[in-house]
Amino acid sequence: MKEQIYLIGFMGSGKTSVSRRLARLLGIKCLEMDDIIKMEAGKEITRIFAEDGEEAFRQMETALLCRLSGEGAMVVSCGGGVPLRPENVKWMKKRGIVVLLRVSAQETYRRIHSSTNRPVLAGHMNVEYIAGLMAEREPFYRRAADLVVETDQRSQDEIAADILQGLKQISGKEQTDEG
Ligand code: S3P
């Protein structure tokens, strides 16, 4: 039985808030990858990118996922770049179900245009750039996902309810496949 749930998706897709809500509904803990990395590195993500480089940050993500795959039930809110590495997808799928939160480029811009802690978008905070990066990432997100949920114009309660329903279907199928 898979007991971990990994929320993936582009920056601003609502992973953090939806994962908290989902964890509360399921009565399990919730972890935010970026928060753990910040805490362990002792600095903000933007400083990790600036001082150690993006590759170092990506390695921290992979090492963290490897560790989490050895733990118990939890909802994990992933950084937007996590599904880009096949190794990361392998770790997530070892114990978990991967849920993709989809969002449009316009909505992403609306939600995060004033953010200063998204190094990937630094100097490119506009809808066109976001749309381009999103299109590049979409195949990686789709390949990783067991479940896909649209988030534009939907409340967090609706999104969490959709995920719960999708999870039920997946675990019903898992049981039938096993039985
Ligand atoms: C990133 C997304 C960020 C953070 C880092 C890189 C990305 O997380 O991990 O800035 O490459 O998409 P959020 O998706 O939580 O903003």
Side-chain angles (χ1 to χ4, degrees):
M1 241 311 258
K2 302 265 174 94
E3 52 178 358
Q4 300 184 331
I5 298 154
Y6 290 87
L7 261 58
I8 61 166
F10 204 80
M11 293 164 269
S13 55
K15 291 165 293 187
T16 303
S17 36
V18 172
S19 55
R20 287 195 189 127
R21 194 158 297 225
L22 191 63
R24 208 175 324 122
L25 290 170
L26 291 169
I28 59 179
K29 69 177 169 179
C30 176
L31 292 183
E32 167 82 28
M33 286 184 67
D34 280 352
D35 284 351
I36 300 174
I37 291 175
K38 273 193 267 184
M39 203 177 65
E40 292 180 349
K43 52 187 169 190
E44 292 295 320
I45 307 288
T46 3
R47 269 190 62 207
I48 302 177
F49 268 66
E51 293 171 11
D52 311 308
E54 176 169 355
E55 186 55 26
F57 173 74
R58 299 298 176 199
Q59 277 170 17
M60 291 177 202
E61 288 186 315
T62 302
L64 176 57
L65 284 167
C66 166
R67 259 162 53 206
L68 294 179
S69 74
E71 296 191 13
M74 63 177 87
V75 180
V76 182
S77 172
C78 297
V82 159
L84 305 180
R85 280 192 170 194
E87 208 185 338
N88 293 347
V89 178
K90 185 192 82 187
W91 288 123
M92 292 193 282
K93 295 216 179 243
K94 188 171 170 220
R95 298 282 292 283
I97 292 172
V98 180
V99 181
L100 168 61
L101 298 188
R102 289 195 79 245
V103 61
S104 66
Q106 287 77 7
E107 179 63 16
T108 302
Y109 178 76
R110 198 185 65 75
R111 291 183 190 168
I112 66 170
H113 68 275
S114 53
S115 160
T116 53
N117 61 4
R118 284 343 200 278
V120 174
L121 296 178
H124 310 284
M125 192 53 96
N126 58 71
V127 178
E128 293 69 30
Y129 188 83
I130 291 172
L133 187 58
M134 218 175 233
E136 258 173 46
R137 289 182 169 191
E138 180 74 6
F140 293 89
Y141 289 165
R142 291 275 183 181
R143 262 200 299 274
D146 297 302
L147 183 66
V148 181
V149 176
E150 302 292 334
T151 69
D152 277 18
Q153 269 120 44
R154 313 211 45 232
S155 73
Q156 290 173 3
D157 281 336
E158 287 171 323
I159 298 166
D162 273 9
I163 298 176
L164 279 183
Q165 202 191 344
L167 291 176
K168 268 191 208 141
Q169 276 165 10
I170 291 173
S171 73
K173 195 179 167 301
E174 263 182 11
Q175 272 159 24
T176 316
D177 290 350
E178 279 162 15

